[in-house]
Amino acid sequence: MKRVLYLLLSVLLFFACTETVSDAKLEKIQPRIYPDYLGVTIPVNIAPLNFCMTDEEALRIDAVITDRHGHSLHSQGKESVDFDLDDWRTLLGQNREDSLSVTVSAKYADGWHTYRPFSIYVSTDSIDYGICYRLIEPGYEVWSKMGIYERNLSSFDERALIENTQFEGCVNCHSFNRGNPADMSLHIRGPHGATLLRKDNGPITAYNTKTDQTLGFCVYPYWHPSGRYIAYSTNSTSQLFHSAGSNRVEVFDTASDLQIYDIEKNELLLSPLLKQDSVYETYPVFSADGRSLYFCAARALPKDSYQLDSIHYNLYRIDFDLSIGNFGSRIDTIVDAEAQHKSVSFPRPSYDGRFLCYTLSDYGQFSIWHHEADLYLLDLSTGEVRPMTEANSDDTESFHNWSTNSRWLLFSSRRDDGLFTRPYFCHVDAKGVVSKAFMLPQRNPRSFYRERFFSFNVPDFIISPTRFDGYKASRIINDEYRKNFGIRKTSSKDD
C-alpha cells in the first residue's frame, strides 16, 4: 500500500511540475544540447543520456523519445531532462540494434520552440559494469585533494575507493587485469610512497618497486592476460612551461626503461634491449595473447639539451616468452611516427587482438597537454592505420582503453572547455568502423561539470565493483613496511 501511494505521489508531482508544450514554433534545425548526443551509438546498458540546452536562456526543456513500435519516454525540467532509470532501461532493451527518435522542445521568453528530431542508435554490444578513474585538479606543481573513484555505467552511482585525505601523498597509476579488479595495482607517491598490489582479490601488499639496478619506482603498469606478470616503466621525468603557444606545460623524460614484474617469483625481469641509455622506453603493454610487448621509444636527447620538439616516439614490439619470462632478440618497428615528425603515446591493444589504439601528437610522450593530440586506430591484421576522425575533436584526445568485449573505447578529452579532461565513449565494430563519441552521462550534466573542478584522469573499464577497502589500504600505506622487488637479468630466447 505504501509503495502504491509513493508511486501515485510521484506521478502527481511529475504532472504538477510539467508544462504542456503548446503553440510551439517549429524549428528547421536540430537542437543544440549539452552534452552533444545527436546521432550517437550507445550500449544497451548505459545510464540515461540526460541533457540540457547549450545556451542558458532556456526556461524549460522537454524531451520525448519514441521508437518505431509506439513506445515512448518523456521528461521535462527547468535546466535538464532527467529520464526515469527503469523506463530508460526498458526502452533500450526493447530497441537493441535499432534507432530511437528524440524530439526536443525548449521554452524561451517568447514561448516554446520544437526542434527537428535526432536519432540515437542502440547497439547490441553491451558495455562493462563501470569505469575507474582518478579525479584531480588540473594543476602543474602541487596536488590538493584527489582520489580513485569507480562509477557504475548503468546508473549514476559513484564511490571513492581511496582519497589522499586518508594519508599524505598522491594516488595514481591504477591498473587492472583486463578490467578485472580482482587483480589490481595502485601507486602512491609522496612520503608514504608504495605500490599496492592485489591478486585474485587477496590481501593488499605494499611494495617498494625501486631497486639499485633501476632508475626509480615502477609506473605505467599493464597486466599480462595470465595475471602472472605486470609490465612497468621507470621514468626520470621533468617539467617545463611554455612562454608562448597553445600548450601550457611540457612533461618529458630525461631517462626511462622498461621491465616486467613476475608476481610468482617476486622478480623484476630486466633486458638490455629495453634498458638502453640512448633510448627513452615507456608505456609498455602486452598483446592480447600475451606473447608480445608493445612499447613507445624515442632517441634520447643529448645531455643538457631541451629541444623537446625533436623527441619523437615510435611504436615498437618485442616477443615475450611467458613460460620462462624471457624476451625476444629483435625489436620490430610497428609505427614509424618519427618519419611523419609525429609521436606515439598510450598504445592500447583491443582484447580480441584485432586493433591497437594510440594517441598521436606532434612530439613527446605526455600528450595530455597537447591540443593537437588525436586517437589513431591500427588494424593488427592488415597493418592499416587511420585517424579515428569520428571520435576525435579539435582539442586533446588522450588516455584510453578498451571494454572487455573490444567493442567500446573509453578515452579522455579536453573538447568540452580545453582545460578539464572528461570521459568519452565510442563504438568500434568488428570492421573498425568508429561511431561518434559521447560523454559519460550525468544526472544533471551542466551543474555536475560546472561544480566539479576536477579532471577525469586515466579512466579505465572495470567488469565488476572493485571490493577495495580504502580504510584498510590507508592503514597499509601509513605503515612503514614495504616488500622489496627482486631482480633477474634476462637474455634473449635466441641467445
Side-chain angles (χ1 to χ4, degrees):
M1 184 64 179
K2 289 183 178 180
R3 179 171 175 78
V4 173
L5 290 174
Y6 174 79
L7 291 174
L8 180 60
L9 180 61
S10 298
V11 171
L12 291 174
L13 286 173
F14 172 78
F15 284 105
C17 299
T18 302
E19 294 184 15
T20 301
V21 178
S22 59
D23 301 322
K25 178 183 178 182
L26 299 180
E27 302 287 354
K28 295 181 180 179
I29 61 172
Q30 291 180 320
R32 290 187 288 271
I33 60 173
Y34 176 80
D36 177 9
Y37 291 137
L38 276 66
V40 297
T41 296
I42 62 172
V44 69
N45 57 331
I46 195 70
L49 302 188
N50 296 338
F51 56 84
C52 56
M53 301 300 289
T54 55
D55 62 73
E56 298 191 33
E57 285 83 33
L59 304 175
R60 297 192 72 82
I61 181 172
D62 183 281
V64 179
I65 304 179
T66 58
D67 64 12
R68 65 184 67 203
H69 310 293
H71 305 118
S72 65
L73 181 60
H74 177 229
S75 179
Q76 187 183 118
K78 287 186 176 180
E79 184 175 58
S80 172
V81 294
D82 184 6
F83 297 108
D84 180 84
L85 182 59
D86 292 333
D87 293 342
W88 171 267
R89 289 173 176 168
T90 299
L91 186 64
L92 264 59
Q94 294 170 335
N95 289 275
R96 293 171 180 262
E97 207 169 4
D98 207 346
S99 291
L100 301 171
S101 178
V102 185
T103 301
V104 175
S105 301
K107 184 180 181 181
Y108 291 89
D110 63 347
W112 285 96
H113 296 248
T114 297
Y115 298 88
R116 187 161 58 88
F118 66 89
S119 63
I120 294 174
Y121 181 77
V122 183
S123 171
T124 57
D125 296 320
S126 61
I127 205 164
D128 290 326
Y129 159 79
I131 60 175
C132 186
Y133 42 84
R134 181 172 68 160
L135 291 179
I136 183 172
E137 293 175 343
Y140 313 114
E141 295 184 349
V142 297
W143 61 70
S144 183
K145 180 182 176 182
M146 68 170 70
I148 306 295
Y149 302 81
E150 70 174 36
R151 159 72 188 270
N152 185 337
L153 290 178
S154 295
S155 69
F156 302 107
D157 296 337
E158 179 188 75
R159 82 175 186 96
L161 304 187
I162 190 168
E163 296 175 316
N164 68 343
T165 53
Q166 299 168 262
F167 61 93
E168 183 183 357
C170 162
V171 287
N172 67 345
C173 289
H174 54 280
S175 178
F176 313 97
N177 184 7
R178 295 190 172 210
N180 186 350
D183 294 344
M184 182 176 180
S185 173
L186 176 64
H187 187 59
I188 310 296
R189 288 191 295 176
H192 301 284
T195 292
L196 306 185
L197 287 181
R198 180 177 73 178
K199 186 79 173 65
D200 299 326
N201 273 328
I204 298 171
T205 302
Y207 287 85
N208 171 26
T209 63
K210 186 176 182 179
T211 75
D212 58 4
Q213 298 183 52
T214 53
L215 288 171
F217 295 105
C218 292
V219 295
Y220 302 141
Y222 193 93
W223 288 76
H224 191 274
S226 69
R228 177 175 172 176
Y229 303 100
I230 307 175
Y232 288 106
S233 70
T234 54
N235 304 66
S236 296
T237 303
S238 295
Q239 181 175 261
L240 289 176
F241 294 88
H242 291 280
S243 60
S246 60
N247 294 333
R248 297 169 180 264
V249 62
E250 203 66 58
V251 178
F252 60 98
D253 288 337
T254 56
S256 57
D257 295 320
L258 302 183
Q259 53 270 313
I260 291 178
Y261 176 58
D262 185 335
I263 297 175
E264 289 184 8
K265 295 184 177 181
N266 187 36
E267 292 179 335
L268 277 180
L269 310 180
L270 305 182
S271 167
L273 291 176
L274 303 176
K275 198 175 185 301
Q276 302 182 57
D277 292 340
S278 61
V279 178
Y280 301 149
E281 304 100 342
T282 191
Y283 296 139
V285 293
F286 287 106
S287 60
D289 61 8
R291 298 183 180 278
S292 300
L293 185 74
Y294 293 101
F295 61 95
C296 299
R299 288 179 291 179
L301 285 178
K303 188 177 180 180
D304 298 326
S305 172
Y306 290 96
Q307 292 181 323
L308 304 183
D309 58 359
S310 68
I311 304 177
H312 299 286
Y313 285 78
N314 292 331
L315 178 64
Y316 296 98
R317 186 190 65 83
I318 189 172
D319 288 339
F320 179 71
D321 188 337
L322 63 156
S323 62
I324 59 174
N326 222 354
F327 299 93
S329 60
R330 187 185 72 214
I331 294 177
D332 297 317
T333 303
I334 305 302
V335 175
D336 186 357
E338 185 178 18
Q340 311 167 48
H341 301 287
K342 296 289 184 179
S343 195
V344 172
S345 58
F346 303 128
R348 284 296 185 273
S350 60
Y351 299 124
D352 62 2
R354 178 66 190 281
F355 302 107
L356 186 145
C357 179
Y358 60 87
T359 301
L360 194 71
S361 56
D362 285 347
Y363 60 90
Q365 51 84 24
F366 203 75
S367 54
I368 293 173
W369 284 108
H370 280 241
H371 295 285
E372 80 283 357
D374 278 333
L375 300 176
Y376 277 68
L377 192 66
L378 165 63
D379 188 327
L380 293 172
S381 64
T382 65
E384 179 186 359
V385 175
R386 73 173 187 89
M388 298 178 68
T389 307
E390 303 86 346
N392 288 327
S393 71
D394 292 335
D395 216 308
T396 308
E397 268 66 63
S398 191
F399 186 87
H400 47 271
N401 213 346
W402 297 86
S403 62
T404 53
N405 62 5
S406 300
R407 294 282 74 87
W408 299 96
L409 191 76
L410 163 65
F411 63 95
S412 57
S413 176
R414 295 192 191 274
R415 70 184 66 190
D416 198 26
D417 57 16
L419 180 62
F420 294 93
T421 55
R422 276 145 191 176
Y424 282 77
F425 305 86
C426 66
H427 184 260
V428 183
D429 71 12
K431 296 181 180 180
V433 176
V434 180
S435 72
K436 177 181 175 179
F438 66 93
M439 185 190 281
L440 173 67
Q442 305 293 349
R443 187 172 296 281
N444 185 324
R446 175 178 289 155
S447 63
F448 179 90
Y449 290 115
R450 176 177 290 171
E451 296 169 5
R452 176 173 273 190
F453 296 104
F454 291 95
S455 283
F456 287 74
N457 184 245
V458 193
D460 201 358
F461 284 104
I462 49 176
I463 62 174
S464 63
T466 57
R467 299 180 183 176
F468 184 85
D469 189 332
Y471 294 102
K472 183 180 292 186
S474 66
R475 291 198 298 270
I476 294 172
I477 293 168
N478 287 312
D479 189 275
E480 293 183 359
Y481 173 76
R482 299 291 184 265
K483 187 174 181 178
N484 291 318
F485 275 3
I487 291 290
R488 177 163 69 89
K489 293 183 178 180
T490 69
S491 60
S492 70
K493 63 183 180 181
D494 297 327
D495 286 349

